[in-house]
Amino acid sequence: NVPALRVQAVEKYYGSRENVTRALDGISLDVAQGEFVAVMGPSGSGKTTLLNCISTIDRPSAGHILVDGQDVCGLRRGELARFRRERLGFVFQDANLLDTLTARENIALALTINHVAPREVSSRVEAVAARLQISEVLDKMPHEMSGGQRQRVACARAIVCDPALVLADEPTGALDSRNSRKLLECLTQMNEAGATIIMVTHDSFAASYAHRALFIKDGRLINELSRGAAPRGR
Ligand code: ADP
Ligand code: ADP
């Protein structure tokens, strides 16, 4: 069985030869299809760099990253845009909705740019909205919604195309505890519907929704904790 994600001896350096920052220092990990994984660690430990390398926004200095067995580091520029659009879903700390479009239009746009037939678009938008309990806000503009509703609309947009991998960077960072809980329930729903999720978070409550938490420090994987299991040192 091919893992959803394989990170193989990835290193990432920033800066010049004289003044190098080793943001990732030999990270290897596998994420199985359908897994929900939290990535934790102190500020500056390399979490965002790792996520950016997985999402092909950034390129590792060494090592390989395979999504569904495909080495994404070898993709050319034109293929990269397509890979991100078709295979990945993104959830950020800020919902990043287009504020001149309704919730429905924001979600539909993800389908339209992936060339989904127009007659299928509205039924797919409504199905994902029902699942994430945002049907009642579909015709609202972002400024008419609460922060929590906007964030759930962003989740719907991230998964409406059935991406292989959902990448979430501090998705609860701007939410109060009630909305955090709702968002985490959304992510769990997405996961139960088949999405593999990788979530960077500082928040151990958020991490408790994951099957497994990975701890990164100084660009290295130092520990991991599986739900219901004792910590495993590395
Ligand atoms: P903070 O939220 O204070 O910034 P950190 O980012 O340092 O916390 O760590 C996030 C969470 O990960 C904390 O709950 C911390 O206890 C836990 N953690 C960090 N490193 C390890 C480790 N090596 N093993 C187990 N848990 C860890
Ligand atoms: P985290 O997300 O865990 O807070 P980051 O991945 O943002 O950590 O950063 C890891 C290290 O790499 C830090 O020392 C940071 O200063 C450095 N870094 C991140 N991005 C850049 C960049 N574009 N240029 C130079 N250094 C960077």
Side-chain angles (χ1 to χ4, degrees):
N1 223 344
V2 180
L5 171 71
R6 168 161 288 178
V7 175
Q8 224 165 24
V10 164
E11 300 174 22
K12 177 69 187 179
Y13 307 110
Y14 289 112
S16 60
R17 204 174 283 274
E18 299 76 42
N19 188 13
V20 120
T21 302
R22 207 182 275 246
L24 297 177
D25 189 12
I27 292 223
S28 297
L29 59 95
D30 276 3
V31 175
Q33 305 280 350
E35 235 192 327
F36 182 174
V37 171
V39 177
M40 305 189 80
S43 173
S45 57
K47 303 182 295 294
T48 299
T49 302
L50 177 63
L51 212 61
N52 287 346
C53 287
I54 295 168
S55 66
T56 71
I57 288 165
D58 215 336
R59 230 176 237 276
S61 310
H64 293 278
I65 292 176
L66 290 84
V67 173
D68 282 340
Q70 180 185 27
D71 190 342
V72 300
C73 303
L75 294 177
R76 286 185 237 155
R77 193 180 298 196
E79 299 168 324
L80 282 178
R82 186 185 167 131
F83 164 77
R84 280 184 213 143
R85 197 176 67 219
E86 294 183 353
R87 315 298 300 285
L88 301 181
F90 293 96
V91 182
F92 300 104
Q93 179 164 337
D94 299 305
N96 280 317
L97 299 177
L98 296 171
D99 51 8
T100 57
L101 300 181
T102 64
R104 183 189 300 279
E105 290 164 339
N106 266 282
I107 301 167
L109 188 58
L111 291 164
T112 309
I113 62 171
N114 275 303
H115 313 292
V116 170
R119 65 192 146 72
E120 278 181 37
V121 167
S122 69
S123 63
R124 286 186 60 175
V125 171
E126 275 162 30
V128 77
R131 227 166 70 214
L132 300 191
Q133 297 176 20
I134 48 166
S135 302
E136 71 286 1
V137 301
L138 275 183
D139 294 308
K140 290 191 176 179
M141 304 298 287
H143 73 266
E144 299 171 306
M145 301 175 223
S146 72
Q149 287 169 334
R150 280 197 292 272
Q151 197 58 318
R152 293 200 291 285
V153 171
C155 280
R157 181 183 57 180
I159 57 155
V160 71
C161 295
D162 293 323
L165 207 55
V166 173
L167 302 173
D169 195 354
E170 298 280 4
T172 59
L175 300 178
D176 62 24
S177 61
R178 192 178 63 90
N179 278 306
S180 288
R181 195 169 298 122
K182 280 194 161 188
L183 181 86
L184 291 159
E185 281 159 14
C186 273
L187 291 172
T188 301
Q189 272 273 330
M190 290 157 64
N191 177 243
E192 283 168 357
T196 303
I197 301 182
I198 299 175
M199 171 177 70
V200 165
T201 185
H202 267 87
D203 175 5
S204 41
F205 175 72
S208 72
Y209 281 74
H211 303 134
R212 185 155 63 110
L214 304 175
F215 298 96
I216 291 185
K217 195 180 172 200
D218 299 332
R220 295 174 195 228
L221 195 58
I222 55 163
N223 213 335
E224 69 173 83
L225 200 62
S226 292
R227 195 185 274 170
R232 273 187 275 167
R234 276 182 183 255

